[in-house]
């Protein structure tokens, strides 16, 4: 019996209903490939297998061989590597698939770096359904003008349509974590919706805009930059006191194009 390791963010899902809801949130076929991050004892992997999914899983903890070896076959493949260190593009080049999906109950200590890696690599994940901390789910799905809205919200929404599917009680896990969780679905946007911006420039501008939470956009961007984009802000009804968290994605795209192109 393997004991949960806190340092690997191990909180194993034990609620069958939640597991089924996560797996059925994506309509994969046998021609698609589902990446699972952190299969652990195989709670999700087992149901993915029952649903005929082709799975490529990445697990950092070699002790999980005890549970995962019996699930592996020609469609279920577990790679014992750190998802943040592995060259995902190289691994994926060995697979043929129609669509690429991600299903995961993520290790919470590295949620953001994992999501950033998956989203900004050029591997075109069609849909992801991931379990994250409830508070992080709110940040990902936040609307402009709310306190949860931040740089990460803008960058994720640039490429994906996000929806918080449901909240998960901490008692659905073993061991019981400190906080509630939530399941979030990411669906890739139509390419025409986001092709008109260089993402590195969007990162640059949002990182500046959100650099000091209490300051206005003008203070964060600096007077010179602000003067260049003031007409855009006026066109969208924002004055000199506007703050980063009030500005929607489409306006950030305009600002980014004006400042850096
Ligand atoms: N999927 C299982 C479940 O739902 O019961 C386990 C989820 S548990 C929250 C997170 C899993 O991610 C653990 O199995 C942990 O060992 C694994 N993990 C942690 N850090 C990782 C990393 N850097 N790369 C790959 N897997 C990691």
């Amino acid at each position: 019996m393997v004991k949960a390791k806190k340092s690997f963010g191990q909180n194993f899902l034990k609620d069958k209903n939640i597991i089924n809801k996560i797996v059925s949130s994506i309509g994969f076929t046998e021609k698609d490939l589902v990446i699972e991050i952190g299969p652990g004892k195989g709670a999700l992997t087992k149901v993915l297998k029952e649903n005929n999914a082709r799975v490529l899983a990445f697990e950092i903890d070699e002790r999980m061989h005890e549970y995962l070896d019996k699930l592996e076959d020609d469609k279920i493949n577990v790679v014992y590597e750190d998802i943040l260190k592995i060259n995902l593009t190289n691994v994926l080049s060995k697979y043929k698939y129609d669509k690429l999906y991600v299903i995961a109950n993520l290790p919470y200590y590295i949620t953001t770096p994992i999501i950033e890696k998956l989203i900004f690599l050029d591997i075109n994940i069609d849909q992801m359904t991931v379990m994250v901390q409830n508070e992080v789910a709110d940040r990902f799905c936040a609307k402009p003008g709310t306190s949860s809205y931040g740089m990460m919200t803008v960058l994720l929404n640039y490429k994906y349509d996000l929806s918080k599917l449901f909240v998960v009680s901490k008692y659905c896990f073993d061991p019981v974590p400190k906080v509630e969780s939530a399941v979030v679905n990411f669906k890739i946007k139509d390419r025409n919706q986001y092709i008109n911006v260089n993402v590195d420039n969007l990162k640059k501008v949002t990182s500046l805009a959100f650099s000091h939470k209490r300051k206005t956009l003008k203070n964060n961007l600096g007077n010179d930059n602000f003067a260049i984009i003031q007409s855009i802000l006026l066109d969208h009804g924002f004055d000199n006191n506007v703050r980063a968290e009030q500005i929607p994605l489409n306006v950030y795209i305009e600002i980014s194009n004006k400042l850096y192109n």
Side-chain angles (χ1 to χ4, degrees):
M1 187 68 183
V2 168
K3 203 166 169 267
K5 237 188 200 172
K6 248 192 181 168
S7 59
F8 283 153
Q10 290 177 347
N11 297 97
F12 302 107
L13 254 174
K14 58 176 191 184
D15 187 304
K16 193 81 185 157
N17 182 39
I18 300 288
I19 293 167
N20 286 334
K21 273 165 80 175
I22 293 173
V23 171
S24 61
S25 69
I26 292 183
F28 48 79
T29 74
E30 290 179 54
K31 288 185 181 160
D32 302 323
L33 183 64
V34 179
I35 296 177
E36 189 190 355
I37 295 150
K41 297 183 180 180
L44 288 164
T45 328
K46 188 165 168 279
V47 177
L48 283 165
K49 186 179 168 107
E50 285 163 8
N51 283 274
N52 287 321
R54 256 197 332 136
V55 178
L56 170 61
F58 296 95
E59 172 57 62
I60 199 169
D61 189 349
E62 302 240 3
R63 297 177 306 160
M64 299 305 166
H65 271 291
E66 183 176 334
Y67 305 91
L68 299 172
D69 283 0
K70 53 179 173 281
L71 294 177
E72 282 202 74
D73 59 16
D74 56 338
K75 287 172 77 185
I76 309 281
N77 192 202
V78 183
V79 176
Y80 288 87
E81 294 276 359
D82 182 338
I83 185 69
L84 293 180
K85 293 197 180 137
I86 196 148
N87 185 330
L88 208 49
T89 320
N90 261 1
V91 178
L92 285 170
S93 69
K94 298 180 185 103
Y95 287 78
K96 280 208 166 71
Y97 49 85
D98 276 358
K99 284 185 174 161
L100 186 59
Y101 297 118
V102 171
I103 285 185
N105 171 15
L106 289 175
Y108 293 169
Y109 73 108
I110 44 169
T111 298
T112 303
I114 292 176
I115 300 276
E116 274 176 346
K117 175 165 183 169
L118 296 175
I119 294 237
F120 295 118
L121 267 183
D122 220 5
I123 53 173
N124 281 324
I125 296 162
D126 199 80
Q127 253 193 89
M128 304 204 277
T129 293
V130 291
M131 175 97 72
V132 297
Q133 285 184 20
N134 192 26
E135 192 194 298
V136 173
D138 286 340
R139 222 179 306 140
F140 287 175
C141 305
K143 297 278 171 265
T146 63
S147 60
S148 303
Y149 187 77
M151 177 180 169
M152 196 63 185
T153 326
V154 177
L155 294 178
L156 294 182
N157 283 273
Y158 142 79
K159 201 161 173 191
Y160 287 86
D161 286 319
L162 276 85
S163 43
K164 184 169 163 178
L165 299 184
F166 49 89
V167 174
V168 181
S169 154
K170 56 188 177 185
Y171 299 105
C172 295
F173 301 87
D174 176 36
V176 177
K178 288 204 178 76
V179 291
E180 301 296 325
S181 301
V183 174
V184 179
N185 179 262
F186 295 59
K187 208 180 234 160
I188 197 140
K189 282 184 171 164
D190 178 345
R191 222 172 146 67
N192 298 325
Q193 274 183 278
Y194 65 86
I195 200 149
N196 60 344
V197 67
N198 173 317
V199 72
D200 290 327
N201 293 340
L202 189 63
K203 277 186 192 166
K204 242 193 278 180
V205 81
T206 48
S207 143
L208 261 185
F210 288 96
S211 50
H212 299 280
K213 208 155 169 79
R214 277 192 213 93
K215 288 191 181 173
T216 60
L217 184 71
K218 189 174 179 181
N219 278 327
N220 281 336
L221 292 187
N223 282 338
D224 290 351
N225 282 337
F226 195 79
I228 297 170
I229 61 157
Q230 199 160 23
S231 61
I232 297 176
L233 294 171
L234 282 174
D235 283 351
H236 290 280
F238 297 115
D239 64 20
N240 284 358
N241 297 320
V242 67
R243 288 175 189 280
E245 63 267 23
Q246 292 170 270
I247 297 175
L249 171 67
N250 62 315
V251 180
Y252 273 117
I253 289 177
E254 279 187 52
I255 291 175
S256 164
N257 286 341
K258 181 110 184 194
L259 279 182
Y260 301 113
N261 284 346

